Amino acid sequence: MKHFIAAAAFSAVLAGPAFAEEIITAPFDGSFDDATFAVESAIVGQGLVIDYVSHVGEMLNRTGADVGSDKQIFAAADIFIFCSAKISREVMEADPMNIGFCPYGIFVAEDDSGVMVGYRSYPDGPMQKVQTLLSEIVEEAVGN
């Protein structure tokens, strides 16, 4: 029982920071394709390289029946995965465990309410440099 309590306490500590994260979104006035182009352009415009585009919407739509669901979550959804050598070095020099936040992602999704662009928030401290970068990219992409 003692080991169970210790394991539960350790799990709670690990899970704690995850609850502090939130998803920050901005509406996009246009089509999903226009939004993905705008996000890609804004990322590349910062001198960054997109490592991968995850087509989450396609996967969810393709596999819904396989997992016993007929609900469409998104009409389309992509996540752009990238990193910044400069900012990543800064935040990991401050705390090497910030590696757990890398790479960074910005998503574009379309649901019944329209097209949105977003990203997850990051903890206070050095990771706010990453959040600022993501915020600037999203603002540029949505035209604010």
Side-chain angles (χ1 to χ4, degrees):
M1 182 69 167
K2 185 176 177 180
H3 293 293
F4 175 77
I5 294 171
F10 182 69
S11 295
V13 169
L14 289 179
F19 293 124
E21 295 176 5
E22 62 183 60
I23 303 302
I24 299 166
T25 63
F28 184 86
D29 186 21
S31 72
F32 176 82
D33 290 337
D34 288 346
T36 59
F37 180 78
V39 167
E40 181 177 356
S41 297
I43 293 168
V44 171
Q46 290 279 338
L48 304 170
V49 174
I50 297 169
D51 295 321
Y52 181 72
V53 179
S54 178
H55 304 288
V56 176
E58 288 177 16
M59 179 274 299
L60 291 170
N61 292 335
R62 182 182 69 247
T63 61
D66 297 336
V67 298
S69 177
D70 61 357
K71 181 179 179 180
Q72 181 181 37
I73 301 169
F74 300 109
D78 287 346
I79 304 170
F80 293 83
I81 306 296
F82 59 95
C83 215
S84 164
K86 181 181 184 303
I87 293 175
S88 293
R89 174 162 289 281
E90 289 176 20
V91 301
M92 286 180 225
E93 283 182 359
D95 180 353
M97 291 300 99
N98 283 335
I99 191 171
F101 295 107
C102 195
Y104 316 124
I106 293 178
F107 68 85
V108 178
E110 181 176 8
D111 63 13
D112 293 340
S113 64
V115 178
M116 69 189 99
V117 178
Y119 57 95
R120 67 180 176 162
S121 66
Y122 289 89
D124 290 338
M127 290 305 298
Q128 285 300 297
K129 291 179 182 182
V130 174
Q131 188 163 323
T132 298
L133 172 67
L134 298 179
S135 175
E136 290 170 353
I137 291 170
V138 169
E139 286 178 20
E140 180 181 336
V142 300
N144 289 341

